[in-house]
Amino acid sequence: MKRALITGITGQDGVYLARFLLDKGYAVYGTFRRLSTPNFWRLQYLDIFDRVTLIPADIIDSSSIVEAIEVSEPDEIYHLAAQSYVGASFEQPVGTGEITGLGVTRLLEAVRQLNPKIKVYQASTSELFGNSGRPRQDEETPFAPTSPYAAAKLYGYWMAKMYREAYGLFTCNGILFNHESPVRGLEFVTRKISNNVAKIALGLQDSFALGNVEAKRDWGYAPEYVESMWLMLQRDQPGDFVVSTGETHSVREFTEHALRIAGLDWDKHVRTDPRFLRPLEVNYLCGDCARAAQVLGWTPKVRFAKLVEIMVGEDLRRWKAFAEGERFPWDAPSYPTEATLLTRLLNSDGARAKRRELRAAAKTWATVRPSARTP
Ligand code: NAP
Ligand code: F7E
């Protein structure tokens, strides 16, 4: 039985990859950070919490990485742990450099010293390209990072390549473009939109605000993207691969489609707010994954419209289910704004009436419900 260690198993990609590897028959180990409140909701949501072995480790602490490798004795390591939110990297540039950048070197050093035969996947990103000015970005496109996050990832990219060339380690950079799902963090724009549209559709809120709605991204579906990580490590030779859909859409288009699904109108429900603008922006990303298609046999299947439908459908289902008294693994209760709303929903004098209203509104969503539970 093959053994895999996933750093950052509690994140979006971590849980989908864990499920994918379990289905392939792997023994799956994953690192998690000790937090004041445990954060295992995604593992529970996919119903795999009991099927993985969790090891406490922080990527800023080398000794904990060594321990994780010694305990798990992996054939493959998927290094996903990172401060992954670009917006926060402007507020925490040093911390982002420590975790997202130097963390890669800590991991590679541990592998080099403990067992250089372990294959390593490094979670690189389309953010490396910044504003390249090219209509499509591929493995040959020059890098031009435009955030502390992207600069830290660029360092990680080069360290992975350098350990490959200097020490013969099997390291692969997956240059993944944005990929989303119902377990995407609520701070990322796609989930922010699907969650807010769901609340508005169910009458829980009137409007929400976005930043730069003209930014364009190449958005794919996370459960499919994790397969490309595995495929990279199954080859005899290591390499770097762009993984993308080849389609680009603006934040405005994503929002419009989400609103359309719910029968809502932009003018009534969406504002822009400069507080959500970044000091520097990546305006346009669109990937060319021809190499991944040819060498790995990987191609995307879920396209933009379907992705939006999956995400809006699942957030509608969650809010509705909560209002009907169901309890389930969910991130909303951990976010102050959402938690306040949930508490109001439970405790207010009009809670019973509100739940009746929601149940009535829920009937309208019968059509989006079935597809939603297949994240
Ligand atoms: P995510 O949901 O933010 O997950 C990040 C994971 O890293 C979480 O498990 C988090 O743990 C962990 N982590 C953060 N700081 C850590 C630390 N100091 N020590 C140990 N673990 C730490 O990110 P994702 O979307 O799954 O992305 C996975 C990886 O791919 C990241 O490296 C990201 O930068 C990269 N990437 C993502 C995309 C995308 O579109 N999703 C595209 C390209 C590349 P907690 O749960 O404790 O916070
Ligand atoms: O922003 C714009 C924002 O935060 C997308 C990470 O997984 O993908 C992700 O990084 C775009 C940006 O993701 C809001 O300015 C407008 O142009 O969802 P995001 P990201 O920055 O593209 C890459 C590939 C990664 O590697 C990262 O780890 O949307 N935008 N209004 C907004 N963004 C947010 N978050 N919130 C807004 O209100």
Side-chain angles (χ1 to χ4, degrees), residues 41 182 184-186 191 195 199 315 318-319 322 328-343:
W41 80 274
R184 185 60 143 154
L186 273 170
R191 182 83 197 295
N195 185 53
K199 285 185 289 178
D315 276 323
R318 285 168 170 145
W319 282 97
F322 182 87
F328 45 88
W330 193 20
D331 48 351
S334 319
Y335 286 72
T337 48
E338 312 307 295
T340 309
L341 188 54
L342 293 170
T343 313

PDB file of all heavy atoms in Angstrom, residues 41 182 184-186 191 195 199 315 318-319 322 328-343:
ATOM      1  N   TRP A  41     -13.692  20.841   9.634  1.00  0.00           N
ATOM      2  CA  TRP A  41     -15.022  20.741   9.035  1.00  0.00           C
ATOM      3  C   TRP A  41     -14.998  20.161   7.623  1.00  0.00           C
ATOM      4  O   TRP A  41     -15.882  19.399   7.235  1.00  0.00           O
ATOM      5  CB  TRP A  41     -15.749  22.104   9.047  1.00  0.00           C
ATOM      6  CG  TRP A  41     -15.349  23.053   7.971  1.00  0.00           C
ATOM      7  CD1 TRP A  41     -14.312  23.933   7.998  1.00  0.00           C
ATOM      8  CD2 TRP A  41     -15.984  23.233   6.686  1.00  0.00           C
ATOM      9  NE1 TRP A  41     -14.254  24.634   6.821  1.00  0.00           N
ATOM     10  CE2 TRP A  41     -15.275  24.234   6.005  1.00  0.00           C
ATOM     11  CE3 TRP A  41     -17.090  22.653   6.059  1.00  0.00           C
ATOM     12  CZ2 TRP A  41     -15.613  24.666   4.717  1.00  0.00           C
ATOM     13  CZ3 TRP A  41     -17.437  23.077   4.777  1.00  0.00           C
ATOM     14  CH2 TRP A  41     -16.698  24.068   4.130  1.00  0.00           C
ATOM     15  N   PRO A 182     -17.447  24.019  -3.301  1.00  0.00           N
ATOM     16  CA  PRO A 182     -18.252  24.386  -2.121  1.00  0.00           C
ATOM     17  C   PRO A 182     -17.453  24.421  -0.825  1.00  0.00           C
ATOM     18  O   PRO A 182     -17.949  24.920   0.169  1.00  0.00           O
ATOM     19  CB  PRO A 182     -19.324  23.294  -2.072  1.00  0.00           C
ATOM     20  CG  PRO A 182     -19.419  22.791  -3.469  1.00  0.00           C
ATOM     21  CD  PRO A 182     -18.029  22.864  -4.018  1.00  0.00           C
ATOM     22  N   ARG A 184     -14.399  25.890  -0.662  1.00  0.00           N
ATOM     23  CA  ARG A 184     -13.489  27.028  -0.772  1.00  0.00           C
ATOM     24  C   ARG A 184     -13.694  27.920   0.455  1.00  0.00           C
ATOM     25  O   ARG A 184     -14.834  28.064   0.943  1.00  0.00           O
ATOM     26  CB  ARG A 184     -13.854  27.786  -2.044  1.00  0.00           C
ATOM     27  CG  ARG A 184     -12.965  28.932  -2.431  1.00  0.00           C
ATOM     28  CD  ARG A 184     -11.563  28.520  -2.666  1.00  0.00           C
ATOM     29  NE  ARG A 184     -10.934  29.240  -3.755  1.00  0.00           N
ATOM     30  CZ  ARG A 184      -9.616  29.434  -3.829  1.00  0.00           C
ATOM     31  NH1 ARG A 184      -8.804  28.981  -2.887  1.00  0.00           N
ATOM     32  NH2 ARG A 184      -9.099  30.065  -4.878  1.00  0.00           N
ATOM     33  N   GLY A 185     -12.621  28.535   0.958  1.00  0.00           N
ATOM     34  CA  GLY A 185     -12.753  29.460   2.088  1.00  0.00           C
ATOM     35  C   GLY A 185     -13.674  30.621   1.732  1.00  0.00           C
ATOM     36  O   GLY A 185     -13.716  31.065   0.578  1.00  0.00           O
ATOM     37  N   LEU A 186     -14.407  31.107   2.716  1.00  0.00           N
ATOM     38  CA  LEU A 186     -15.401  32.169   2.465  1.00  0.00           C
ATOM     39  C   LEU A 186     -14.775  33.508   2.073  1.00  0.00           C
ATOM     40  O   LEU A 186     -15.478  34.401   1.611  1.00  0.00           O
ATOM     41  CB  LEU A 186     -16.273  32.364   3.704  1.00  0.00           C
ATOM     42  CG  LEU A 186     -17.496  31.457   3.802  1.00  0.00           C
ATOM     43  CD1 LEU A 186     -18.148  31.558   5.173  1.00  0.00           C
ATOM     44  CD2 LEU A 186     -18.513  31.799   2.719  1.00  0.00           C
ATOM     45  N   ARG A 191     -16.560  31.950  -3.510  1.00  0.00           N
ATOM     46  CA  ARG A 191     -17.409  31.456  -2.392  1.00  0.00           C
ATOM     47  C   ARG A 191     -18.092  32.629  -1.698  1.00  0.00           C
ATOM     48  O   ARG A 191     -19.224  32.500  -1.210  1.00  0.00           O
ATOM     49  CB  ARG A 191     -16.530  30.643  -1.443  1.00  0.00           C
ATOM     50  CG  ARG A 191     -17.266  30.045  -0.285  1.00  0.00           C
ATOM     51  CD  ARG A 191     -17.964  28.727  -0.588  1.00  0.00           C
ATOM     52  NE  ARG A 191     -18.954  28.447   0.440  1.00  0.00           N
ATOM     53  CZ  ARG A 191     -18.676  28.207   1.709  1.00  0.00           C
ATOM     54  NH1 ARG A 191     -17.417  28.132   2.111  1.00  0.00           N
ATOM     55  NH2 ARG A 191     -19.641  28.013   2.578  1.00  0.00           N
ATOM     56  N   ASN A 195     -22.060  32.367  -1.396  1.00  0.00           N
ATOM     57  CA  ASN A 195     -22.639  32.427  -0.047  1.00  0.00           C
ATOM     58  C   ASN A 195     -23.587  33.618   0.091  1.00  0.00           C
ATOM     59  O   ASN A 195     -24.689  33.504   0.625  1.00  0.00           O
ATOM     60  CB  ASN A 195     -21.504  32.517   0.976  1.00  0.00           C
ATOM     61  CG  ASN A 195     -21.998  32.471   2.407  1.00  0.00           C
ATOM     62  OD1 ASN A 195     -22.728  31.568   2.788  1.00  0.00           O
ATOM     63  ND2 ASN A 195     -21.621  33.469   3.190  1.00  0.00           N
ATOM     64  N   LYS A 199     -27.758  33.766   0.632  1.00  0.00           N
ATOM     65  CA  LYS A 199     -28.434  34.470   1.741  1.00  0.00           C
ATOM     66  C   LYS A 199     -29.475  35.455   1.212  1.00  0.00           C
ATOM     67  O   LYS A 199     -30.569  35.576   1.766  1.00  0.00           O
ATOM     68  CB  LYS A 199     -27.398  35.202   2.596  1.00  0.00           C
ATOM     69  CG  LYS A 199     -26.589  34.267   3.490  1.00  0.00           C
ATOM     70  CD  LYS A 199     -25.661  35.023   4.422  1.00  0.00           C
ATOM     71  CE  LYS A 199     -24.497  35.656   3.687  1.00  0.00           C
ATOM     72  NZ  LYS A 199     -23.611  36.428   4.540  1.00  0.00           N
ATOM     73  N   ASP A 315     -24.486  26.356  -1.419  1.00  0.00           N
ATOM     74  CA  ASP A 315     -24.697  27.344  -0.349  1.00  0.00           C
ATOM     75  C   ASP A 315     -26.187  27.563  -0.069  1.00  0.00           C
ATOM     76  O   ASP A 315     -26.585  27.744   1.086  1.00  0.00           O
ATOM     77  CB  ASP A 315     -23.952  28.650  -0.663  1.00  0.00           C
ATOM     78  CG  ASP A 315     -22.488  28.556  -0.225  1.00  0.00           C
ATOM     79  OD1 ASP A 315     -22.230  27.930   0.825  1.00  0.00           O
ATOM     80  OD2 ASP A 315     -21.607  29.061  -0.931  1.00  0.00           O
ATOM     81  N   ARG A 318     -27.212  24.701   2.130  1.00  0.00           N
ATOM     82  CA  ARG A 318     -26.734  24.782   3.522  1.00  0.00           C
ATOM     83  C   ARG A 318     -27.587  25.733   4.358  1.00  0.00           C
ATOM     84  O   ARG A 318     -27.994  25.402   5.468  1.00  0.00           O
ATOM     85  CB  ARG A 318     -25.289  25.274   3.536  1.00  0.00           C
ATOM     86  CG  ARG A 318     -24.285  24.238   3.102  1.00  0.00           C
ATOM     87  CD  ARG A 318     -22.960  24.925   2.888  1.00  0.00           C
ATOM     88  NE  ARG A 318     -21.880  23.981   2.691  1.00  0.00           N
ATOM     89  CZ  ARG A 318     -20.859  24.208   1.888  1.00  0.00           C
ATOM     90  NH1 ARG A 318     -20.780  25.339   1.198  1.00  0.00           N
ATOM     91  NH2 ARG A 318     -19.900  23.328   1.765  1.00  0.00           N
ATOM     92  N   TRP A 319     -27.829  26.949   3.828  1.00  0.00           N
ATOM     93  CA  TRP A 319     -28.593  27.934   4.610  1.00  0.00           C
ATOM     94  C   TRP A 319     -30.000  27.435   4.887  1.00  0.00           C
ATOM     95  O   TRP A 319     -30.541  27.594   5.980  1.00  0.00           O
ATOM     96  CB  TRP A 319     -28.609  29.294   3.897  1.00  0.00           C
ATOM     97  CG  TRP A 319     -27.307  30.026   4.093  1.00  0.00           C
ATOM     98  CD1 TRP A 319     -26.257  30.062   3.226  1.00  0.00           C
ATOM     99  CD2 TRP A 319     -26.919  30.795   5.241  1.00  0.00           C
ATOM    100  NE1 TRP A 319     -25.231  30.797   3.774  1.00  0.00           N
ATOM    101  CE2 TRP A 319     -25.612  31.265   5.002  1.00  0.00           C
ATOM    102  CE3 TRP A 319     -27.534  31.114   6.449  1.00  0.00           C
ATOM    103  CZ2 TRP A 319     -24.920  32.048   5.917  1.00  0.00           C
ATOM    104  CZ3 TRP A 319     -26.846  31.900   7.366  1.00  0.00           C
ATOM    105  CH2 TRP A 319     -25.551  32.358   7.097  1.00  0.00           C
ATOM    106  N   PHE A 322     -29.906  24.589   7.478  1.00  0.00           N
ATOM    107  CA  PHE A 322     -29.680  25.116   8.822  1.00  0.00           C
ATOM    108  C   PHE A 322     -30.977  25.688   9.388  1.00  0.00           C
ATOM    109  O   PHE A 322     -31.345  25.435  10.538  1.00  0.00           O
ATOM    110  CB  PHE A 322     -28.595  26.198   8.808  1.00  0.00           C
ATOM    111  CG  PHE A 322     -28.302  26.744  10.177  1.00  0.00           C
ATOM    112  CD1 PHE A 322     -27.370  26.127  10.998  1.00  0.00           C
ATOM    113  CD2 PHE A 322     -28.995  27.851  10.670  1.00  0.00           C
ATOM    114  CE1 PHE A 322     -27.122  26.603  12.278  1.00  0.00           C
ATOM    115  CE2 PHE A 322     -28.758  28.331  11.945  1.00  0.00           C
ATOM    116  CZ  PHE A 322     -27.813  27.712  12.752  1.00  0.00           C
ATOM    117  N   PHE A 328     -24.649  20.413  10.512  1.00  0.00           N
ATOM    118  CA  PHE A 328     -23.718  19.699   9.629  1.00  0.00           C
ATOM    119  C   PHE A 328     -22.386  20.448   9.619  1.00  0.00           C
ATOM    120  O   PHE A 328     -22.326  21.614  10.018  1.00  0.00           O
ATOM    121  CB  PHE A 328     -24.308  19.633   8.209  1.00  0.00           C
ATOM    122  CG  PHE A 328     -24.876  20.951   7.746  1.00  0.00           C
ATOM    123  CD1 PHE A 328     -24.078  21.892   7.104  1.00  0.00           C
ATOM    124  CD2 PHE A 328     -26.208  21.279   7.985  1.00  0.00           C
ATOM    125  CE1 PHE A 328     -24.598  23.118   6.691  1.00  0.00           C
ATOM    126  CE2 PHE A 328     -26.736  22.505   7.595  1.00  0.00           C
ATOM    127  CZ  PHE A 328     -25.922  23.425   6.938  1.00  0.00           C
ATOM    128  N   PRO A 329     -21.294  19.792   9.174  1.00  0.00           N
ATOM    129  CA  PRO A 329     -20.008  20.477   9.115  1.00  0.00           C
ATOM    130  C   PRO A 329     -20.069  21.641   8.124  1.00  0.00           C
ATOM    131  O   PRO A 329     -20.494  21.450   6.978  1.00  0.00           O
ATOM    132  CB  PRO A 329     -19.043  19.399   8.590  1.00  0.00           C
ATOM    133  CG  PRO A 329     -19.771  18.115   8.661  1.00  0.00           C
ATOM    134  CD  PRO A 329     -21.230  18.402   8.684  1.00  0.00           C
ATOM    135  N   TRP A 330     -19.686  22.816   8.593  1.00  0.00           N
ATOM    136  CA  TRP A 330     -19.868  24.032   7.787  1.00  0.00           C
ATOM    137  C   TRP A 330     -18.934  25.085   8.334  1.00  0.00           C
ATOM    138  O   TRP A 330     -18.717  25.154   9.551  1.00  0.00           O
ATOM    139  CB  TRP A 330     -21.328  24.484   7.954  1.00  0.00           C
ATOM    140  CG  TRP A 330     -21.854  25.518   7.024  1.00  0.00           C
ATOM    141  CD1 TRP A 330     -21.360  25.869   5.800  1.00  0.00           C
ATOM    142  CD2 TRP A 330     -23.024  26.330   7.238  1.00  0.00           C
ATOM    143  NE1 TRP A 330     -22.154  26.826   5.229  1.00  0.00           N
ATOM    144  CE2 TRP A 330     -23.181  27.128   6.095  1.00  0.00           C
ATOM    145  CE3 TRP A 330     -23.943  26.453   8.279  1.00  0.00           C
ATOM    146  CZ2 TRP A 330     -24.221  28.050   5.957  1.00  0.00           C
ATOM    147  CZ3 TRP A 330     -24.979  27.354   8.145  1.00  0.00           C
ATOM    148  CH2 TRP A 330     -25.124  28.149   6.997  1.00  0.00           C
ATOM    149  N   ASP A 331     -18.405  25.942   7.463  1.00  0.00           N
ATOM    150  CA  ASP A 331     -17.481  26.989   7.922  1.00  0.00           C
ATOM    151  C   ASP A 331     -18.200  28.250   8.410  1.00  0.00           C
ATOM    152  O   ASP A 331     -17.648  29.012   9.198  1.00  0.00           O
ATOM    153  CB  ASP A 331     -16.465  27.358   6.833  1.00  0.00           C
ATOM    154  CG  ASP A 331     -17.101  27.617   5.463  1.00  0.00           C
ATOM    155  OD1 ASP A 331     -18.316  27.337   5.304  1.00  0.00           O
ATOM    156  OD2 ASP A 331     -16.386  28.084   4.566  1.00  0.00           O
ATOM    157  N   ALA A 332     -19.440  28.479   7.967  1.00  0.00           N
ATOM    158  CA  ALA A 332     -20.107  29.750   8.299  1.00  0.00           C
ATOM    159  C   ALA A 332     -20.094  30.069   9.800  1.00  0.00           C
ATOM    160  O   ALA A 332     -19.794  31.213  10.173  1.00  0.00           O
ATOM    161  CB  ALA A 332     -21.533  29.753   7.749  1.00  0.00           C
ATOM    162  N   PRO A 333     -20.359  29.105  10.685  1.00  0.00           N
ATOM    163  CA  PRO A 333     -20.385  29.450  12.110  1.00  0.00           C
ATOM    164  C   PRO A 333     -19.054  29.995  12.629  1.00  0.00           C
ATOM    165  O   PRO A 333     -19.020  30.647  13.672  1.00  0.00           O
ATOM    166  CB  PRO A 333     -20.731  28.120  12.793  1.00  0.00           C
ATOM    167  CG  PRO A 333     -21.444  27.330  11.752  1.00  0.00           C
ATOM    168  CD  PRO A 333     -20.813  27.724  10.452  1.00  0.00           C
ATOM    169  N   SER A 334     -17.951  29.768  11.911  1.00  0.00           N
ATOM    170  CA  SER A 334     -16.650  30.277  12.381  1.00  0.00           C
ATOM    171  C   SER A 334     -16.383  31.712  11.938  1.00  0.00           C
ATOM    172  O   SER A 334     -15.390  32.305  12.346  1.00  0.00           O
ATOM    173  CB  SER A 334     -15.502  29.425  11.842  1.00  0.00           C
ATOM    174  OG  SER A 334     -15.804  28.096  11.877  1.00  0.00           O
ATOM    175  N   TYR A 335     -17.204  32.247  11.043  1.00  0.00           N
ATOM    176  CA  TYR A 335     -16.993  33.624  10.570  1.00  0.00           C
ATOM    177  C   TYR A 335     -17.935  34.554  11.334  1.00  0.00           C
ATOM    178  O   TYR A 335     -19.148  34.310  11.350  1.00  0.00           O
ATOM    179  CB  TYR A 335     -17.277  33.731   9.071  1.00  0.00           C
ATOM    180  CG  TYR A 335     -16.199  33.127   8.194  1.00  0.00           C
ATOM    181  CD1 TYR A 335     -16.030  31.747   8.094  1.00  0.00           C
ATOM    182  CD2 TYR A 335     -15.333  33.943   7.457  1.00  0.00           C
ATOM    183  CE1 TYR A 335     -15.040  31.191   7.294  1.00  0.00           C
ATOM    184  CE2 TYR A 335     -14.340  33.392   6.648  1.00  0.00           C
ATOM    185  CZ  TYR A 335     -14.206  32.016   6.575  1.00  0.00           C
ATOM    186  OH  TYR A 335     -13.229  31.472   5.779  1.00  0.00           O
ATOM    187  N   PRO A 336     -17.408  35.623  11.938  1.00  0.00           N
ATOM    188  CA  PRO A 336     -18.234  36.477  12.795  1.00  0.00           C
ATOM    189  C   PRO A 336     -19.519  36.968  12.118  1.00  0.00           C
ATOM    190  O   PRO A 336     -20.593  36.876  12.706  1.00  0.00           O
ATOM    191  CB  PRO A 336     -17.313  37.652  13.112  1.00  0.00           C
ATOM    192  CG  PRO A 336     -15.936  37.137  12.878  1.00  0.00           C
ATOM    193  CD  PRO A 336     -16.018  36.043  11.878  1.00  0.00           C
ATOM    194  N   THR A 337     -19.427  37.423  10.862  1.00  0.00           N
ATOM    195  CA  THR A 337     -20.629  37.954  10.203  1.00  0.00           C
ATOM    196  C   THR A 337     -21.689  36.866  10.051  1.00  0.00           C
ATOM    197  O   THR A 337     -22.880  37.080  10.303  1.00  0.00           O
ATOM    198  CB  THR A 337     -20.291  38.485   8.796  1.00  0.00           C
ATOM    199  OG1 THR A 337     -19.512  37.479   8.150  1.00  0.00           O
ATOM    200  CG2 THR A 337     -19.558  39.802   8.853  1.00  0.00           C
ATOM    201  N   GLU A 338     -21.236  35.703   9.637  1.00  0.00           N
ATOM    202  CA  GLU A 338     -22.177  34.607   9.400  1.00  0.00           C
ATOM    203  C   GLU A 338     -22.739  34.098  10.723  1.00  0.00           C
ATOM    204  O   GLU A 338     -23.922  33.801  10.844  1.00  0.00           O
ATOM    205  CB  GLU A 338     -21.490  33.451   8.661  1.00  0.00           C
ATOM    206  CG  GLU A 338     -20.681  33.866   7.454  1.00  0.00           C
ATOM    207  CD  GLU A 338     -21.455  34.698   6.480  1.00  0.00           C
ATOM    208  OE1 GLU A 338     -22.407  34.192   5.885  1.00  0.00           O
ATOM    209  OE2 GLU A 338     -21.111  35.891   6.304  1.00  0.00           O
ATOM    210  N   ALA A 339     -21.853  33.990  11.717  1.00  0.00           N
ATOM    211  CA  ALA A 339     -22.281  33.461  13.014  1.00  0.00           C
ATOM    212  C   ALA A 339     -23.355  34.356  13.619  1.00  0.00           C
ATOM    213  O   ALA A 339     -24.328  33.879  14.204  1.00  0.00           O
ATOM    214  CB  ALA A 339     -21.080  33.347  13.950  1.00  0.00           C
ATOM    215  N   THR A 340     -23.187  35.673  13.461  1.00  0.00           N
ATOM    216  CA  THR A 340     -24.179  36.614  13.986  1.00  0.00           C
ATOM    217  C   THR A 340     -25.541  36.354  13.345  1.00  0.00           C
ATOM    218  O   THR A 340     -26.572  36.310  14.018  1.00  0.00           O
ATOM    219  CB  THR A 340     -23.730  38.071  13.695  1.00  0.00           C
ATOM    220  OG1 THR A 340     -22.396  38.195  14.153  1.00  0.00           O
ATOM    221  CG2 THR A 340     -24.614  39.094  14.371  1.00  0.00           C
ATOM    222  N   LEU A 341     -25.502  36.153  12.042  1.00  0.00           N
ATOM    223  CA  LEU A 341     -26.745  35.898  11.312  1.00  0.00           C
ATOM    224  C   LEU A 341     -27.378  34.571  11.757  1.00  0.00           C
ATOM    225  O   LEU A 341     -28.591  34.483  11.971  1.00  0.00           O
ATOM    226  CB  LEU A 341     -26.419  35.857   9.811  1.00  0.00           C
ATOM    227  CG  LEU A 341     -27.563  35.796   8.826  1.00  0.00           C
ATOM    228  CD1 LEU A 341     -28.540  36.936   9.064  1.00  0.00           C
ATOM    229  CD2 LEU A 341     -27.023  35.879   7.404  1.00  0.00           C
ATOM    230  N   LEU A 342     -26.529  33.572  11.925  1.00  0.00           N
ATOM    231  CA  LEU A 342     -27.047  32.255  12.343  1.00  0.00           C
ATOM    232  C   LEU A 342     -27.664  32.341  13.735  1.00  0.00           C
ATOM    233  O   LEU A 342     -28.724  31.769  13.998  1.00  0.00           O
ATOM    234  CB  LEU A 342     -25.908  31.222  12.339  1.00  0.00           C
ATOM    235  CG  LEU A 342     -25.347  30.874  10.956  1.00  0.00           C
ATOM    236  CD1 LEU A 342     -24.076  30.043  11.072  1.00  0.00           C
ATOM    237  CD2 LEU A 342     -26.375  30.105  10.136  1.00  0.00           C
ATOM    238  N   THR A 343     -26.996  33.099  14.619  1.00  0.00           N
ATOM    239  CA  THR A 343     -27.507  33.230  15.981  1.00  0.00           C
ATOM    240  C   THR A 343     -28.849  33.967  15.964  1.00  0.00           C
ATOM    241  O   THR A 343     -29.796  33.571  16.649  1.00  0.00           O
ATOM    242  CB  THR A 343     -26.496  34.010  16.850  1.00  0.00           C
ATOM    243  OG1 THR A 343     -25.219  33.465  16.605  1.00  0.00           O
ATOM    244  CG2 THR A 343     -26.819  33.918  18.324  1.00  0.00           C
TER     245      THR A 343
END
